[in-house]
């Protein structure tokens, strides 16, 4: 895991080939879990461009809508 902060949400995709990890700073890291070792694919920063929450907010939950799309709260 390349995260150096607290993990607040974790969800495997329905097919089991992707893992999404939500962090306390508002970032979501996508991993390929099809092999024995997790391989990081992409980091998504869920932050406002300005205002009160421009540093990001804690990810509370992750739900997959299908094999590809996920909703982050």
């Amino acid at each position: 895991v390349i995260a150096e902060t607290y993990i607040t949400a974790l969800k495997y995709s329905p097919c089991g080939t992707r893992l999404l990890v939500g962090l306390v700073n508002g970032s979501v890291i996508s991993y390929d879990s099809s092999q024995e070792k997790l391989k990081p694919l992409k980091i998504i920063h869920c932050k406002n461009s300005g205002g009160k929450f421009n540093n990001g907010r804690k990810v509370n939950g992750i739900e997959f809508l299908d094999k590809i799309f996920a909703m982050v709260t």
Side-chain angles (χ1 to χ4, degrees), residues 4-35:
E4 294 182 3
T5 185
Y6 293 109
I7 295 172
T8 57
L10 185 68
K11 188 76 171 191
Y12 276 97
S13 65
C15 58
T17 60
R18 294 287 184 264
L19 172 68
L20 292 182
V21 178
L23 305 177
V24 73
N25 66 359
S27 297
V28 177
I29 304 174
S30 173
Y31 290 95
D32 177 9
S33 59
S34 62
Q35 305 294 322

Side-chain angles (χ1 to χ4, degrees), residues 20-55:
L20 292 182
V21 178
L23 305 177
V24 73
N25 66 359
S27 297
V28 177
I29 304 174
S30 173
Y31 290 95
D32 177 9
S33 59
S34 62
Q35 305 294 322
E36 264 185 47
K37 189 174 180 182
L38 292 175
K39 177 183 169 189
L41 297 175
K42 186 171 279 209
I43 299 175
I44 303 163
H45 302 285
C46 305
K47 300 178 181 184
N48 290 350
S49 60
K52 184 175 166 182
F53 301 113
N54 64 347
N55 291 328

